[in-house]
Amino acid sequence: MRRKKRRLKRSVRVTFALMSALFILVSTIWVMDIGEAKSNEGQESLEKVIAKETVEKEPVKKQTDEAKEKESEESGELPEQETQEDEPVDSVTVDEPVQQEESTVDQPGVEESSEDQQDQEEQAVQQSVYLTFDDGPNENTEGILNVLERYDAKATFFMLEPNMKRFKDSVEDMAAEGHAVGMHGVTHDAAAFYQSSQSVVGEMKKGQETLESITGIHSNLIRVPYGSVPNMTPAYREAVDRAGFHMWDWNIDSEDWRLLSEEYVPNVMEQINDFPYQESPKIILLHEKDVTLEYLEELLVDLTEKGYSMKALTEQMDTVTF
């Protein structure tokens, strides 16, 4: 009985001791949490106080700065710069003169380029010749076309209207092979052709219609019989201009109509070598004659060796007239 009481007392004491220890532990943790909370609350309160003081000081500083500026204005002194960071930077304007110099450097190059292009165009004109054949087409036309083809040469054919009707195939071949085609009238009779401005324009229009019916080409290139001097009066010239025609004479005469041998070839070359019109295209007068065909290849060889290319006239070119 006594053992049971002693055991009971001992158990009570142990239980009480454990409960006391637990109570102390819980109390300690609670005290620590309260202290940390108060510490955080105190820090927040301190930050609020500092922020409030800062806000209160800024107006004071602003008022102080304004007062200083006012005093400086009244005394005529400039306000001092607070820092060196606000000083103007001189390096911003350093590159401006260089840019201006560069903008003017390329202008001479543009002018030189334009001049070079103009020189090349003038040189191209000087290195070209324009073969022109009158009075055809006829039995020699196909032979002339064959020789021109072998040398990759182009020419211009001023044709009589009745001959176009007789040699339609040759007219078609001219156009198909890239040669220029134009009119030389109908009658080739000076008295009939130069009777009036109406007769001049009338013969050319008739040839124009026939040429267009054969080739489909509406050509305005003309050469009047025997050249424009002296028969083409100012009134006649005005009439052909109003009709839209482009009249061509020549500045190199082969004289194949007079020289019945190969002599016309050196005659042409001499005139080319001594050509006085440096800015004018070289327009060579030829005819579709037997002698012309016989020595045409010799002429083309000489021209090719001299570096000339043979081209056809165009309606965009400035005409050459007497």
Side-chain angles (χ1 to χ4, degrees), residues 83 114 216 219 233:
T83 63
S114 300
S219 175
T233 66

Side-chain angles (χ1 to χ4, degrees), residues 1 8 18 39 67 85 110 127 166 223 248 273 309 322:
M1 187 66 181
L8 180 61
L18 290 173
S39 177
E85 294 178 355
V110 174
Q127 288 302 113
R166 287 181 58 195
R223 174 175 286 161
W248 285 87
N273 293 334
S309 59
F322 298 148

Side-chain angles (χ1 to χ4, degrees), residues 46-65:
L46 180 61
E47 290 176 355
K48 289 181 179 179
V49 171
I50 294 172
K52 184 176 180 180
E53 290 178 356
T54 303
V55 171
E56 290 176 353
K57 287 180 181 179
E58 285 181 356
V60 175
K61 182 180 179 182
K62 184 176 181 181
Q63 292 176 0
T64 304
D65 292 341

Side-chain angles (χ1 to χ4, degrees), residues 93-110:
T93 59
V94 171
D95 294 334
E96 291 182 358
V98 177
Q99 293 177 354
Q100 293 178 356
E101 292 177 1
E102 291 177 356
S103 64
T104 60
V105 170
D106 294 334
Q107 292 180 0
V110 174

Side-chain angles (χ1 to χ4, degrees), residues 261-278:
S261 67
E262 62 180 351
E263 294 179 26
Y264 85 84
V265 175
N267 183 38
V268 169
M269 299 308 298
E270 287 176 9
Q271 292 180 65
I272 289 177
N273 293 334
D274 299 331
F275 192 72
Y277 315 109
Q278 295 301 320

Side-chain angles (χ1 to χ4, degrees), residues 21 31 100 105 120 140 170 173 184 206 242 244 246 254 307 313:
V31 170
Q100 293 178 356
V105 170
Q120 290 176 0
N140 295 317
S170 295
D173 290 342
H184 195 42
K206 186 174 182 180
R242 285 199 308 268
H246 300 264
S254 68
L313 298 177

Side-chain angles (χ1 to χ4, degrees), residues 52-162:
K52 184 176 180 180
E53 290 178 356
T54 303
V55 171
E56 290 176 353
K57 287 180 181 179
E58 285 181 356
V60 175
K61 182 180 179 182
K62 184 176 181 181
Q63 292 176 0
T64 304
D65 292 341
E66 290 177 354
K68 287 182 179 180
E69 290 177 1
K70 187 174 182 181
E71 290 176 1
S72 299
E73 291 177 357
E74 291 177 354
S75 62
E77 297 178 354
L78 296 175
E80 296 181 356
Q81 300 292 332
E82 293 182 359
T83 63
Q84 295 180 353
E85 294 178 355
D86 295 333
E87 293 180 1
V89 180
D90 296 335
S91 61
V92 175
T93 59
V94 171
D95 294 334
E96 291 182 358
V98 177
Q99 293 177 354
Q100 293 178 356
E101 292 177 1
E102 291 177 356
S103 64
T104 60
V105 170
D106 294 334
Q107 292 180 0
V110 174
E111 295 178 359
E112 290 177 2
S113 177
S114 300
E115 292 176 358
D116 291 343
Q117 183 176 359
Q118 185 176 0
D119 291 342
Q120 290 176 0
E121 291 176 355
E122 292 178 357
Q123 185 176 3
V125 171
Q126 294 174 2
Q127 288 302 113
S128 301
V129 294
Y130 297 85
L131 306 175
T132 62
F133 293 88
D134 287 6
D135 299 345
N138 56 29
E139 295 83 357
N140 295 317
T141 303
E142 289 299 329
I144 291 172
L145 291 174
N146 291 336
V147 176
L148 293 174
E149 185 179 13
R150 285 201 296 271
Y151 289 86
D152 194 23
K154 303 301 179 185
T156 304
F157 293 86
F158 292 106
M159 298 173 284
L160 295 169
E161 192 269 343

Side-chain angles (χ1 to χ4, degrees), residues 155-224:
T156 304
F157 293 86
F158 292 106
M159 298 173 284
L160 295 169
E161 192 269 343
N163 291 351
M164 284 191 274
K165 289 182 177 179
R166 287 181 58 195
F167 297 93
K168 291 182 180 180
D169 292 344
S170 295
V171 177
E172 292 175 350
D173 290 342
M174 293 174 190
E177 294 173 15
H179 302 289
V181 289
M183 292 73 69
H184 195 42
V186 179
T187 63
H188 209 275
D189 183 331
F193 184 87
Y194 294 108
Q195 184 176 0
S196 66
S197 59
Q198 290 80 9
S199 62
V200 171
V201 173
E203 286 202 16
M204 292 304 181
K205 280 190 173 294
K206 186 174 182 180
Q208 185 182 54
E209 292 171 359
T210 299
L211 177 59
E212 187 169 6
S213 68
I214 297 172
T215 64
I217 297 173
H218 184 82
S219 175
N220 290 307
L221 302 176
I222 65 169
R223 174 175 286 161
V224 296

